[in-house]
Amino acid sequence: MAEVEQATVSVRVARSDAGAETTFEVERFEPMTVLDLLLAIQREQDLSIAFRFSCRVGMCGTCTVRVDGRAALACTTPVERDVRDVRLEPMAGLPVVRDLIVDMAPFWDEWARVTPYLVPRAGLDEPAVIEPDSEERRRIDPSLDCITCGACYSSCGVSASGRDFLGPAALTRAMVLVADSRDAARDERLRAVGQSDGVDRCRYIYGCSAVCPKGLDPAGAIRALRRWRLGGGP
Amino acid sequence: MPAIQLLFIAGLTAVLAGVVGFAAVVLASAARSGGGPHVTSGFLRRFARPGRERAELHRWAFYLHRITGFAIFAFLCLHILDVSTYALSPALYDELHGLYATAPMRVFEAGLLVAILFHTLNGLRLVAVDVADMGIDASRRALVAVAALTVVLGAAGGAVIVAPAFA
Ligand code: FES
C-alpha cells in the first residue's frame, strides 16, 4: 500500500502545568525528526514547552523522550511520512522536572553503585595491549558506546516502575569493566550486581535492548553477569 | 443450593475479583513505565514491522506472566480449602465437588488450564533464556512458540474439559 503523506502532524505532549496546551498541529517537512517537531512547536506555537537537547546527532544522550510510549532520542527518531499523530511523554521512572524534562538523579545513583570507572590493577605501568580479535575485546567492544541517555532505564519494566534495581545501563557498564583484564575491582562489582537489586531483578522484558539508540544489548550484558557471578568472572 | 456450594461460589468470586484487581494494578503500573498500554496507531504501525520493535512482545508476556501467576496462586488457595473439606466429611466434599461438573465451572477450568499452560511454558522459556543464552530474537521466537503451544494445547484440553457439560 502506498504511503499517504500527511501535510501536518498532530502532536500530543505531556505537560506538567495543568492548564498548558497539550495538542499542536505542526506543518511537516522532509526529513523530519521528533526534535524538529518540538522545535517547531517552541518556535511557532508555545514558547513555554520544556525539553532538553544538545548535540542533535545522537551523541550526547540528553534528548530522550517517549515517542508513542517507547523511549527514543528525539533528535534521531524520524517522523515517517505517513505519520498523522505523535504522542510525546517524558521518560518513565524518573521524576518530571517540567514537561519532557526529567531529573536523571535516580539513573546516576544506580550508575555510581557499580563503580563505573576502571580501577587499574597494581603493577600496570605500561599501556595494556588487548588484541583486536581477542575474546576480551569481542565481549567489551559492542557495549562501549553507551551515551547514558536513559532510554533503557525508561523502557525497563522493573526500573521504570520504581523498584530497587541497578538497571540496564549500570549493569552494562559493570559487564564492560568486569570483562576488562586490567581492572582490579572485579570481585567488588560482581558482589554489587549479585545482590537482590542486581541482575536477578531482570525479568527479560528486553525493553532495554529493543530501544537502545546505539544498538547495545544490555539484556545480553545482564545474562553474561548472571553467569560470571557464579564462576567469579568471564 | 447447599450452603457449602454457596460458600465455594463466594470464594471463587473473591478469587476472580482479586485477579481482575491485580490485573488492573499491573496495567496501571504498565502505564507508568516504558511501552505500557500505549496502543496508539503509531505504536501499532511500528509493532507491525519486523525487527526490534517486536521485542515489545516480551513486555506483554511479563505482564501476562504476573497476572496468570496470581490467578493460579489465588485459585490454588481456594482449591486447598475445598479439597480439605474431605477431612471434615466425605459427603460434604462430594456435595461441594458436584459444582466442578457444571458448565460454568468447566469453562472456568478451561480458562485455568490456559493460564497454567502459559505460565508454565513462559517460565520454561525464561529458564532457557539463561541456560541457552538466548538473545532478543531467539527469545522472541521462543515466545511465539509459547503462545502457539498455549493456544493449541489450551484449545485441545479445553475441549476435553468442557465437552461433557454439553454432551
Ligand atoms: S540531542 Fe544529543 S542525543 Fe539527541
Side-chain angles (χ1 to χ4, degrees):
Chain A
M1 205 171 72
E3 285 184 350
V4 182
E5 188 165 340
Q6 307 287 343
T8 59
V9 184
S10 171
V11 189
R12 245 173 88 191
V13 186
R15 308 293 301 269
S16 24
D17 290 345
E21 196 72 52
T22 55
T23 310
F24 306 90
E25 283 295 319
V26 179
E27 222 160 287
R28 67 169 310 131
F29 53 83
E30 282 301 328
M32 190 175 214
T33 65
V34 170
L35 183 60
D36 291 328
L37 284 178
L38 287 167
L39 288 168
I41 292 170
Q42 192 177 54
R43 212 169 35 234
E44 293 154 18
Q45 303 189 42
D46 188 345
L47 204 58
S48 71
I49 189 168
F51 54 96
R52 267 197 199 114
F53 72 99
S54 179
C55 72
R56 298 185 186 215
V57 288
M59 280 174 63
C60 69
T62 53
C63 64
T64 317
V65 291
R66 277 190 292 164
V67 183
D68 291 330
R70 313 258 342 253
L73 294 181
C75 68
T76 56
T77 303
V79 182
E80 308 284 0
R81 284 167 186 270
D82 57 336
V83 167
R84 174 75 193 91
D85 310 285
V86 176
R87 178 175 173 153
L88 301 179
E89 289 156 301
M91 272 191 278
L94 296 163
V96 175
V97 176
R98 191 163 152 220
D99 296 347
L100 300 176
I101 297 179
V102 293
D103 178 2
M104 293 288 282
F107 173 89
W108 291 118
D109 289 347
E110 304 297 359
W111 183 264
R113 285 175 54 211
V114 296
T115 323
Y117 44 83
L118 186 88
V119 180
R121 274 198 290 117
L124 283 181
D125 302 325
E126 293 298 316
V129 179
I130 300 174
E131 298 296 338
D133 56 353
S134 67
E135 178 64 16
E136 185 176 346
R137 193 175 281 286
R138 196 187 58 75
R139 265 194 211 114
I140 294 174
D141 266 2
S143 297
L144 275 182
D145 280 346
C146 179
I147 55 172
T148 56
C149 65
C152 57
Y153 189 98
S154 172
S155 72
C156 170
V158 183
S159 288
S161 57
R163 313 251 179 80
D164 278 346
F165 181 39
L166 283 168
L171 288 170
T172 302
R173 184 70 191 144
M175 188 281 287
V176 163
L177 292 162
V178 168
D180 195 321
S181 56
R182 301 165 302 168
D183 186 64
R186 172 181 293 177
D187 294 345
E188 181 189 317
R189 263 189 217 99
L190 283 176
R191 254 195 311 280
V193 305
Q195 308 218 320
S196 62
D197 57 356
V199 284
D200 292 323
R201 269 277 151 92
C202 173
R203 298 290 184 259
Y204 290 137
I205 297 172
Y206 288 95
C208 51
S209 300
V211 301
C212 177
K214 305 306 275 185
L216 271 52
D217 182 16
I222 291 172
R223 289 197 306 279
L225 284 173
R226 280 195 187 190
R227 286 192 307 275
W228 297 348
R229 162 191 61 152
L230 301 174
Chain B
M1 184 177 275
I4 190 70
Q5 291 193 350
L6 282 174
L7 202 61
F8 178 81
I9 290 169
L12 190 61
T13 308
V15 165
L16 292 174
V19 172
V20 171
F22 184 77
V25 169
V26 168
L27 293 178
S29 106
R32 286 194 298 275
S33 74
H38 293 280
V39 192
T40 62
S41 55
F43 171 69
L44 288 177
R45 191 170 36 241
R46 291 207 316 250
F47 195 60
R49 288 181 200 142
R52 289 194 154 197
E53 301 288 359
R54 286 192 188 162
E56 199 62 4
L57 280 175
H58 293 107
R59 187 186 305 280
W60 292 94
F62 168 63
Y63 298 143
L64 205 55
H65 195 80
R66 297 189 72 194
I67 294 167
T68 52
F70 181 88
I72 294 163
F73 176 74
F75 177 74
L76 191 64
C77 292
L78 180 69
H79 195 47
I80 287 171
L81 289 177
D82 76 51
V83 172
S84 318
T85 53
Y86 194 83
L88 297 174
S89 142
L92 195 66
Y93 174 92
D94 286 342
E95 197 170 37
L96 167 53
H97 283 79
L99 268 181
Y100 275 85
T102 59
M105 200 54 202
R106 283 179 182 276
V107 171
F108 170 81
E109 285 166 45
L112 186 67
L113 173 71
V114 172
I116 292 172
L117 279 171
F118 177 79
H119 197 81
T120 307
L121 295 170
N122 193 48
L124 290 173
R125 176 185 68 87
L126 291 172
V127 172
V129 164
D130 267 327
V131 173
D133 193 21
M134 283 158 66
I136 193 165
D137 292 325
S139 173
R140 195 194 63 235
R141 283 193 289 272
L143 182 53
V144 171
V146 165
L149 273 173
T150 302
V151 169
V152 171
L153 297 177
V160 172
I161 293 171
V162 171
F166 298 97

